[in-house]
Amino acid sequence: MSLIVQKFGGTSVANTERLKNVADIVTSTAKAGNQVVVVVSAQGDTTDDLIEKAAELNERPSRREMDVLLNTGEMISMSLLAMAIQKLGFPVVSLTGWQIGMETNSNYSDARIKRISGDRLKAELDNGRIVIVAGFQGINKMGDVTTLGRGGSDTTAVAIAATLGADLCQIYTDVDGVYTADPRIVKNARKLDAITYDEMLELASLGAQVLHNRSVEMAKKYNVDLEVVSSFTRNPGTKVKEGSNMEKLNVSGVARDNNCARVAIINLNDTPGTAFKVFSLMAKHNVNIDIILQSVGRDNKKSISFTIRQDDAERVAGILRDAKEMLDYEDVSINTKVAKVSIVGAGMASAAGVASKMFEALAGAGINIRMISTSEIKISVLINEEDSEKAVKAIHDQFFGD
């Protein structure tokens, strides 16, 4: 008997017919002799609808109260799916994040998991039940409900799989695996049979929306076998596991992230400790920084540019405005009309000319590069947002074209 954790996203449980389809997948897994834990997201656009309802009453509600509100979306999904499975004659129970003992810190709207007790989960499985868990949610030391932020249901599923020592964690979505690029943009994108944790982590971090980066990070840490699979076609998916060069490709995929903004702090003092002041200020306010570029100092002045999430642009503008006297800069410019396009591949570290081919593709498409960032397995460029789709196609054709 195997223990399998299955996660279903919002599109997979969006309506009655799709819930019935998920119930069929889950019960088929159980009929094959497996113990099953299912993690569900909120239905369709439920989370966005709840955010809109909150905004109608209060433009700036507290993050604590938003977590209370947003928790309800996953609870609706879990109970409806349990009812659908009951209708098929299978023993089932639905549980919230706090009922399974998922303890988090108190960073409302973006909480981190501390531990999962697992006792209730194990007891229900031992009693022969299929267990449905509301993803995205936990409870802090004060007994308040919390949410895990974007992609939180993926993280919930992997955390449960790690806690229970599951044989497999399947992430069901609306695509049938991980592709070399977004198949909605690139028609000839190829599905990968397998990809390494490191490659998937980079792709997830760089904008590929198949898996959330925190879930991949956790899967690698606890050696959880992951599979990305479609809830609609039921074709074999993409395995995410340890290994290198599984597909014998220097580049495994192209990713795009339009949730970017470029911050430029102009004419700072060119003295030791200036960069520390800037980035310690960002860290204090929990602002995630990505690409960083510092100009060559002239006349005892320098400029520092960095990228942040577009969602944080307005907040960062306020933080820097309030810190103008401390940082002693001349001006701040924030551009939200940018995008990050990246290539990822475990084989890149030992392959010459990969960066040159990427830049050749961009030059051929007439696309200007604003910033560049590299690591052993990825190269990222910041470009104008309006060019991002064209860039993905040009780069993909360069590396994967026939």
Side-chain angles (χ1 to χ4, degrees):
M1 177 185 292
S2 296
L3 171 57
I4 298 176
V5 177
Q6 298 178 324
K7 179 262 176 179
F8 294 90
T11 55
S12 298
V13 296
N15 54 43
T16 299
E17 288 307 310
R18 291 186 178 181
L19 279 164
K20 288 179 178 178
N21 177 58
V22 169
D24 184 58
I25 293 172
V26 172
T27 54
S28 294
T29 307
K31 278 192 284 190
N34 302 297
Q35 293 181 308
V36 189
V37 177
V38 181
V39 176
V40 289
S41 299
Q43 290 183 288
D45 297 324
T46 298
T47 299
D48 290 338
D49 292 342
L50 291 172
I51 291 171
E52 285 182 17
K53 288 181 183 296
E56 290 171 3
L57 296 168
N58 186 340
E59 292 179 358
R60 294 186 178 177
S62 71
R63 294 199 298 173
R64 179 193 181 278
E65 295 307 324
M66 283 302 296
D67 275 8
V68 174
L69 176 66
L70 297 183
N71 263 285
T72 61
E74 278 68 22
M75 293 168 65
I76 292 170
S77 294
M78 75 175 193
S79 54
L80 289 175
L81 180 58
M83 293 173 191
I85 290 172
Q86 282 177 341
K87 179 74 173 178
L88 297 175
F90 287 77
V92 62
V93 61
S94 64
L95 300 173
T96 62
W98 53 94
Q99 284 177 310
I100 67 167
M102 180 176 284
E103 299 174 20
T104 74
N105 63 16
S106 296
N107 187 20
Y108 298 108
S109 82
D110 195 22
R112 293 298 188 264
I113 300 170
K114 289 184 174 180
R115 64 183 292 269
I116 301 176
S117 70
D119 293 341
R120 179 73 184 273
L121 284 168
K122 292 172 186 174
E124 298 293 354
L125 290 169
D126 289 343
N127 285 328
R129 294 189 178 95
I130 295 169
V131 182
I132 315 295
V133 178
F136 180 62
Q137 59 182 234
I139 189 168
N140 65 19
K141 64 182 180 182
M142 294 175 287
D144 290 343
V145 293
T146 57
T147 65
L148 304 181
R150 190 170 63 95
S153 293
D154 287 355
T155 307
T156 298
V158 175
I160 289 172
T163 299
L164 298 177
D167 298 281
L168 178 63
C169 181
Q170 295 178 310
I171 307 295
Y172 281 86
T173 181
D174 55 355
V175 294
D176 56 357
V178 180
Y179 280 75
T180 51
D182 187 337
R184 292 167 294 190
I185 297 174
V186 180
K187 300 305 180 186
N188 63 335
R190 307 177 194 172
K191 189 180 80 172
L192 301 171
D193 293 328
I195 190 170
T196 69
Y197 288 123
D198 288 336
E199 288 171 324
M200 190 66 245
L201 181 56
E202 287 286 5
L203 284 172
S205 301
L206 297 169
Q209 298 176 2
V210 179
L211 284 173
H212 194 260
N213 59 315
R214 281 168 60 190
S215 67
V216 182
E217 221 167 39
M218 189 178 294
K220 180 181 179 181
K221 181 178 180 180
Y222 295 103
N223 199 30
V224 174
D225 278 345
L226 278 178
E227 182 182 20
V228 180
V229 64
S230 171
S231 57
F232 303 129
T233 66
R234 306 199 194 183
N235 293 328
T238 300
K239 296 280 189 180
V240 184
K241 55 188 178 182
E242 283 294 2
S244 62
N245 297 330
M246 293 179 185
E247 300 261 308
K248 297 182 179 178
L249 295 173
N250 292 331
V251 175
S252 293
V254 185
R256 176 182 71 160
D257 185 3
N258 283 358
N259 185 18
C260 290
R262 179 179 182 265
V263 180
I265 309 176
I266 301 164
N267 285 346
L268 289 151
N269 290 323
D270 189 13
T271 54
T274 298
F276 168 72
K277 287 181 183 178
V278 171
F279 294 111
S280 63
L281 180 65
M282 295 297 105
K284 177 183 175 183
H285 291 276
N286 295 315
V287 177
N288 290 321
I289 305 297
D290 189 16
I291 305 173
I292 300 173
L293 179 67
Q294 179 173 297
S295 67
V296 176
R298 290 196 182 108
D299 302 322
N300 294 319
K301 294 291 183 180
K302 64 183 176 184
S303 297
I304 294 177
S305 299
F306 54 91
T307 59
I308 59 173
R309 292 185 305 186
Q310 194 178 103
D311 305 339
D312 289 331
E314 186 177 339
R315 185 163 64 96
V316 167
I319 293 167
L320 291 174
R321 193 164 49 242
D322 294 341
K324 190 174 193 304
E325 186 175 340
M326 179 191 76
L327 295 177
D328 191 20
Y329 60 81
E330 181 181 310
D331 196 12
V332 167
S333 170
I334 299 181
N335 183 358
T336 58
K337 300 298 183 182
V338 294
K340 182 171 59 178
V341 175
S342 311
I343 56 173
V344 172
M348 284 168 50
S350 58
V354 174
S356 174
K357 287 184 68 176
M358 180 182 187
F359 301 152
E360 180 187 12
L362 293 170
I367 296 170
N368 191 40
I369 300 171
R370 293 177 172 271
M371 299 174 78
I372 301 170
S373 174
T374 66
S375 75
E376 285 191 350
I377 68 168
K378 64 100 173 173
I379 301 171
S380 297
V381 294
L382 195 73
I383 60 175
N384 291 334
E385 184 179 26
E386 62 187 19
D387 292 330
S388 64
E389 187 169 317
K390 182 168 63 170
V392 170
K393 291 177 180 177
I395 294 169
H396 190 273
D397 285 346
Q398 179 79 306
F399 289 98
F400 300 100
D402 295 326

